[in-house]
Amino acid sequence: MTEQNQTKTNKIEQFDVAIIGGGINGAVAAAALSAAGQKVLLVEKDDFAAFTSQESSSLVWGGIKYLQTYEFLLVFKLCLARNRLMRAYPNQIKQIGFLASLGENAPFGRVLGTFGTLFYWAIGLFGTKAPASYSAKVAKELEPNLITGRKAVKYYDAELPDNDSRFVFDFIRHAERLGADVRNYSELVGANFDGEWQLDLKAGRKKTQVRARSVVNATGPYAKEVSEMLQAPTEAGLVFSKGIHLVLNRNITSDYRVLALWDEQGRLFYVLPMGDRSMIGTTDTRVENPETEVTEEDRDFVLRQINNQLELKVPITKDQVISERCGVRPLVVEGGGSGDVADWHQLSRKHIVEANKDRRVVTILGGKLTDCLNVGEEIVAELKEFGHSVAKPKDWFGEGSQARRQEFYDLVFARATFNAEEIAAGMWRRHGERAFDILGAEPKDLFPGLGITEEEVRYIVSNEKVVSRDDLLRRRLPVAMARSSKEIAGNKALQQLLVELGL
Ligand SMILES: Cc1cc2nc3c(=O)[nH]c(=O)nc-3n(C[C@H](O)[C@H](O)[C@H](O)COP(=O)(O)OP(=O)(O)OC[C@H]3O[C@@H](n4cnc5c(N)ncnc54)[C@H](O)[C@@H]3O)c2cc1C
């Protein structure tokens, strides 16, 4: 080796593990591996959670609908994963009732529905509140927008009030606290294996190289592509199911709950909370490419379903839609192949982790946000098999101590003139004890109803790797989902603040 090359090699940073992809799976891998004592690098070509992990229904759930396809083991595992997350995130994950209206598209009536929800409760080891069953009269009283004459059942799961992408960032933050080097806007563009990995990264115009003993491929819908770049192709195949959501300019439920309805194809769809507004969806359409957008056909379909399945005084039209979400579920086809199954909707939603020991690559395929803790732990186990000396990961997720929660709420109520409840809940949920330092003397809600203050925006921009307005308003905070672009543009205080902060 020449002296010049030697100097070059010396400058190359060395990691135990390089994780490619900063969606939920990359983020949990980074947190778990750092807690296991590894020197970790995570690179994400866009912002953290800027792809699939910002387009989900933001539910933490056991997958009640998979009972219909007899996937009992999957439901059991997802319920356990849900319960574990609910315990670890008492504020960021909120238990919520699903009121299912049993119309003619529902695959069962009240008796079977009652039995099914009880079974779901039991398979989830009674980790939620108990289900309930309602006559048509009581259902209508509970939720006046339900169609008159329809009975209903209720079961419980959980949701992420600040959205999926904020939840991903929580793991990024844990990873960073535990020593990981986490880089958004940094793409893997080339790789060379010589017993260890030499990786070419591109961040804007800047190109760098790093070395890592092993690579975790957590690129979601791009997992096959990246595994080929790494010359470690996976056995399992991936196919894509597109799903969209539309957010409305109002809340169409009478309480904090999800409405579960069945569409004209007999598939479950939902009215979900999005901040103080409602979100409707989703769809399940097979597509060939991961890059998708909401089409007119998608909008018409979702609006037709909601108007047909509810008795709304004012029907929902396109001009009431303030924001949209669109993504693909990467679905695993075990053993490879194109997923040409008789019923597309029957393809399993479970994740798999494939390890290529010769090339020291672990690839994650498919899965759900709900299963993220298992994914993190499975990856640690795979790297142990590769010979990494990993400890059992400890303290790598969760909200931490709740001991000062009431003290913080009292402080907000003493300082805020309006919307103290929303401000206290939002800040505590997103920042825990750090909220004491963020609060400021006179906290004011920038968007009444969302509980977000100027001080919080300043904190996030300075501390949470925000590069663009979208990073801040779409992913660290749910503003760009729960408010229209017109409302955001018309909010003078926010606009001035963004300009001052260089966004
Ligand atoms: C419509 C819909 C609804 C859903 N609802 C739910 C739900 O309610 N609950 C639930 O639990 N799950 C739900 N899911 C599933 C869940 O959202 C996904 O399983 C999860 O987000 C996948 O995360 P991921 O990290 O694997 O992929 P992604 O979030 O896509 O992350 C992969 C990342 O890799 C990056 N990347 C790709 N190539 C490179 C490269 N060369 N260099 C650097 N970075 C790269 C991408 O930019 C991307 O950010 C839903 C999915 C959809 C589509």
Side-chain angles (χ1 to χ4, degrees):
M1 197 181 275
T2 67
E3 209 173 289
Q4 205 182 9
N5 278 345
Q6 179 70 57
T7 319
K8 242 176 153 181
T9 314
N10 286 345
K11 277 188 188 159
I12 294 181
E13 234 181 314
Q14 174 79 42
F15 294 90
D16 293 321
V17 188
I19 298 165
I20 318 302
I24 186 68
N25 286 334
V28 288
L33 283 166
S34 305
Q38 297 296 289
K39 186 176 180 202
V40 170
L41 169 73
L42 178 144
V43 288
E44 162 55 54
K45 69 177 174 183
D46 200 301
D47 184 28
F48 305 116
F51 206 61
T52 323
S53 300
Q54 68 169 0
E55 310 290 357
S56 81
S57 304
S58 291
L59 294 173
V60 175
W61 61 340
I64 192 169
K65 64 184 177 186
Y66 308 132
L67 289 180
Q68 273 177 261
T69 42
Y70 309 112
E71 292 181 88
F72 300 125
L73 189 62
L74 174 66
V75 176
F76 175 62
K77 284 185 179 166
L78 283 175
C79 282
L80 293 192
R82 174 203 63 194
N83 295 353
R84 194 173 167 207
L85 279 175
M86 278 167 59
R87 283 194 299 273
Y89 291 90
N91 300 285
Q92 290 179 41
I93 297 179
K94 271 173 96 172
Q95 185 168 170
I96 188 166
F98 283 59
L99 189 65
S101 167
L102 303 169
E104 66 264 22
N105 295 340
F108 42 77
R110 187 177 172 190
V111 174
L112 202 54
T114 305
F115 175 75
T117 50
L118 280 167
F119 183 61
Y120 185 57
W121 187 45
I123 210 173
L125 304 181
F126 313 102
T128 62
K129 291 181 196 163
S133 167
Y134 303 108
S135 68
K137 184 168 170 282
V138 176
K140 184 76 182 169
E141 278 164 14
L142 274 176
E143 194 55 65
N145 283 333
L146 294 188
I147 291 181
T148 310
R150 288 187 176 178
K151 295 164 188 157
V153 289
K154 184 165 74 173
Y155 62 93
Y156 286 87
D157 266 315
E159 63 116 10
L160 296 160
D162 288 314
N163 265 304
D164 39 12
S165 48
R166 175 84 213 169
F167 187 57
V168 171
F169 192 76
D170 204 75
F171 287 98
I172 295 285
R173 197 157 55 181
H174 273 294
E176 216 179 6
R177 172 182 61 81
L178 292 160
D181 182 343
V182 290
R183 304 181 191 172
N184 49 354
Y185 298 101
S186 184
E187 181 176 3
L188 175 76
V189 289
N192 187 36
F193 185 67
D194 55 14
E196 281 196 352
W197 283 100
Q198 178 137 325
L199 304 170
D200 302 323
L201 306 177
K202 192 168 160 283
R205 284 208 209 119
K206 198 174 157 207
K207 289 192 178 154
T208 46
Q209 286 187 325
V210 293
R211 286 184 71 82
R213 287 176 63 205
S214 302
V215 169
V216 173
N217 172 9
T219 52
Y222 296 100
K224 291 289 288 180
E225 227 169 283
V226 171
S227 71
E228 268 148 36
M229 187 204 282
L230 298 168
Q231 290 176 35
T234 58
E235 268 179 34
L238 266 192
V239 290
F240 305 125
S241 152
K242 175 181 161 188
I244 75 142
H245 293 90
L246 306 178
V247 183
L248 307 178
N249 60 2
R250 60 196 163 111
N251 179 6
I252 58 169
T253 54
S254 64
D255 202 352
Y256 171 68
R257 64 164 64 99
V258 174
L259 302 184
L261 309 160
W262 278 266
D263 69 17
E264 62 199 28
Q265 297 167 351
R267 283 192 62 251
L268 260 175
F269 78 103
Y270 302 104
V271 178
L272 301 147
M274 173 55 76
D276 52 355
R277 309 255 162 109
S278 289
M279 173 166 89
I280 52 178
T282 175
T283 53
D284 191 350
T285 322
R286 184 169 187 162
V287 290
E288 295 307 316
N289 294 309
E291 287 91 15
T292 52
E293 56 183 17
V294 182
T295 63
E296 276 303 297
E297 206 184 330
D298 295 328
R299 284 186 197 101
D300 290 343
F301 178 83
V302 170
L303 293 183
R304 188 167 70 245
Q305 307 315 314
I306 200 76
N307 287 322
N308 284 345
Q309 297 304 321
L310 289 179
E311 227 164 53
L312 294 159
K313 285 201 184 83
V314 183
I316 296 165
T317 48
K318 279 180 207 165
D319 57 332
Q320 293 169 33
V321 174
I322 55 163
S323 61
E324 301 179 330
R325 293 155 81 88
C326 181
V328 293
R329 305 167 186 90
L331 304 181
V332 178
V333 187
E334 279 186 80
S338 59
D340 284 331
V341 287
D343 183 353
W344 154 251
H345 300 128
Q346 307 275 315
L347 263 184
S348 176
R349 266 57 176 164
K350 67 183 177 200
H351 75 266
I352 62 168
V353 173
E354 270 195 32
N356 184 324
K357 210 169 174 179
D358 292 339
R359 291 189 69 80
R360 309 184 67 86
V361 175
V362 179
T363 301
I364 309 149
L365 298 129
K368 304 225 134 262
L369 284 156
T370 309
D371 221 6
C372 62
L373 299 183
N374 289 330
V375 170
E377 285 163 356
E378 283 167 40
I379 288 167
V380 172
E382 291 297 350
L383 286 172
K384 195 171 183 184
E385 291 291 305
F386 285 8
H388 287 255
S389 59
V390 290
K392 191 172 166 24
K394 277 197 194 129
D395 186 28
W396 63 279
F397 62 89
E399 285 178 10
S401 169
Q402 298 298 309
R404 299 186 69 195
R405 185 174 185 272
Q406 192 53 48
E407 187 191 336
F408 180 71
Y409 270 63
D410 292 344
L411 195 63
V412 178
F413 273 83
R415 290 187 189 174
T417 328
F418 301 106
N419 301 320
E421 177 72 40
E422 280 99 341
I423 294 172
M427 273 206 186
W428 185 261
R429 210 168 52 225
R430 289 185 286 271
H431 306 283
E433 285 191 5
R434 284 181 302 269
F436 281 101
D437 302 326
I438 303 170
L439 184 61
E442 281 178 64
K444 279 197 207 86
D445 203 345
L446 277 169
F447 281 97
L450 294 186
I452 293 162
T453 66
E454 179 182 325
E455 290 78 8
E456 187 185 1
V457 168
R458 285 182 190 281
Y459 174 84
I460 290 177
V461 172
S462 309
N463 295 280
E464 297 190 352
K465 295 189 178 283
V466 167
V467 173
S468 74
R469 282 190 177 199
D470 250 15
D471 300 348
L472 172 73
L473 300 177
R474 169 75 167 91
R475 285 177 285 278
R476 303 297 180 277
L477 292 168
V479 176
M481 286 282 98
R483 291 295 179 272
S484 67
S485 42
K486 201 169 158 200
E487 285 169 294
I488 294 171
N491 187 317
K492 279 197 192 136
L494 176 72
Q495 291 301 326
Q496 273 172 7
L497 183 59
L498 294 177
V499 172
E500 188 199 320
L501 294 170
L503 292 174

